[in-house]
Amino acid sequence: MDPPVKTKMFSFKDDLIRNLIAFWVFGLCNNYAYVIMLSAAEDIMDKQEDNNKNSNDSFCDVKITETHCSSVSTGAVLLADILPTLVVKLTFPFFMHRIPFGIRHLTVVLLQAISYFIVAYSQSVAMSLTGVVFASLGAGLGEITYLALSAHFTSGTVSAWSSGTGGAGVIGSFAYAALTEPKLANLSPKDALLAMLVVPALFALAYWFVMVPSPSIHKANPIHPKTWLIPVRIASTSMEKINKSSISVVSEDAWAAEMPIREVCKGRENYVEQRILTFDEKLALVVPLLKYMLPLATVYIGEYLINQGLTELIYFDCSHSFHLSRHSQYRWYQVLYQVGVFLSRSSVNLFRLPRWMLFVLPVLQITNAVFFAFDAVYFFIPHIWIVFIIILFEGLLGGSSYVNTFDRIHSEVAPDTREYSMSIASLADSLGVAISGFTAIPLHNFLCNQQRFRISS
């Protein structure tokens, strides 16, 4: 005898809540190491064999009489943090559909734990950058894995994932800034990184103990090697109601009326198998995704030019910086940026941006980057609180672009290609970050020379 409808509803609702929590934790933990490495960028570049402690970072500059330029821009850390991710996103979507999600998840957790150990115990910049590479590999594999995994659940998991990635920025950058801030915990970068090892443990728990797996997810058995690859004949399936609106572009009204719990209740028994795509078909599917990918990539170019090429060159003396040291100013820039990202990535369930706004966001972000580039030379911003507000706005733009882009892809692409579309579209943000990383290094060097000329004169 079938359970009463109300019992089913409560069961589905409990499962939905658990899955939304799991995807939020996935986003949090997946991006956490990435955020920590960028927040620690100046410490990594300035690290000397005998100064693992913040001995020279306790005081602000009474007056700015010289430039403070790293010999290498933090863009170098950005490249180490993004190029492995870019390689993963360029290659893995073409074959990873054969790898069970459980194996992918275990790999991501191990890569992130290893990265913390390497950077914490490194004795050189090269060794530190190796640790950053491990974090990047884990983050890249994780993003395409969990976005693809969301194809097996309701669209609410996309917003939960995006909110979690924003939460990683806030919690990660704030935690690192607070742990290493001389006026707070005053830990060395090494001890701060070791304290972060709790995150991979939480990551593992979320997948195996919190998430309620969809019946469409292939389960690997550790003691049966035959289950370590997904058979081609069953491929991968995604959970979706079978109707015409799921095949074509979903209208604004249909999206607004969508009820996640109703999707779960009515659609759980119906699955749309993911098409087994040839290499040429996969390449062809990228073309209709470009209208989502190009604006997102442009936003990220401006965003990371600011974060890793410009903000380290924008600093203030004691009276105009709340008496924060130069390193502390850089860290709190990162915190406020991540607050903006978190707020905007958590916003899609409250309001959804119209499609045309996806093309306005890149223009606004590039404008921010140009504004900061001029200030890095002319120092015309009178107080650090103005920079704080603009950086918060920068984060709002970046987070809005990310969450609205992937929410639209999940809602609008054909359900039988959704898993592949979600994973390959994530290439856009990484490509934008990589371009900005290569650009940030010469831009940093040029602006440093301009600063030296103006300060000396």
Side-chain angles (χ1 to χ4, degrees), residues 273-292:
E273 288 192 1
Q274 298 296 282
R275 256 193 290 159
I276 300 176
L277 302 166
T278 66
F279 182 78
D280 290 341
E281 288 174 330
K282 289 182 176 181
L283 290 179
L285 277 173
V286 174
V287 177
L289 291 173
L290 291 178
K291 64 178 179 288
Y292 306 105

Side-chain angles (χ1 to χ4, degrees), residues 260-332:
I261 187 65
R262 187 173 62 199
E263 278 191 14
V264 175
C265 294
K266 291 184 179 179
R268 174 166 286 195
E269 295 83 7
N270 298 319
Y271 303 98
V272 173
E273 288 192 1
Q274 298 296 282
R275 256 193 290 159
I276 300 176
L277 302 166
T278 66
F279 182 78
D280 290 341
E281 288 174 330
K282 289 182 176 181
L283 290 179
L285 277 173
V286 174
V287 177
L289 291 173
L290 291 178
K291 64 178 179 288
Y292 306 105
M293 297 171 67
L294 291 179
L296 180 62
T298 306
V299 167
Y300 271 72
I301 291 173
E303 193 169 325
Y304 280 85
L305 273 178
I306 295 170
N307 293 348
Q308 305 306 131
L310 298 174
T311 52
E312 62 178 312
L313 299 177
I314 298 173
Y315 41 86
F316 298 83
D317 59 28
C318 295
S319 61
H320 299 91
S321 66
F322 304 115
H323 295 274
L324 294 171
S325 69
R326 182 176 60 87
H327 282 281
S328 294
Q329 290 175 40
Y330 177 83
R331 290 170 188 153
W332 291 109

Side-chain angles (χ1 to χ4, degrees), residues 380-457:
F380 56 80
I381 298 178
H383 199 280
I384 196 172
W385 69 263
I386 299 175
V387 178
F388 284 167
I389 291 174
I390 299 173
I391 287 179
L392 180 66
F393 177 62
E394 173 213 349
L396 290 171
L397 294 178
S400 296
S401 180
Y402 182 93
V403 68
N404 281 275
T405 295
F406 284 105
D407 178 74
R408 285 197 171 275
I409 293 172
H410 191 284
S411 301
E412 296 177 356
V413 301
D416 61 347
T417 62
R418 179 177 295 159
E419 186 176 322
Y420 168 75
S421 297
M422 292 291 285
S423 59
I424 196 65
S426 68
L427 174 64
D429 55 48
S430 297
L431 187 61
V433 175
I435 292 172
S436 68
F438 281 110
T439 308
I441 295 175
L443 178 64
H444 169 274
N445 294 334
F446 171 77
L447 293 177
C448 277
N449 291 331
Q450 295 300 311
Q451 277 192 356
R452 291 190 185 97
F453 173 77
R454 291 191 65 81
I455 292 176
S456 63
S457 61

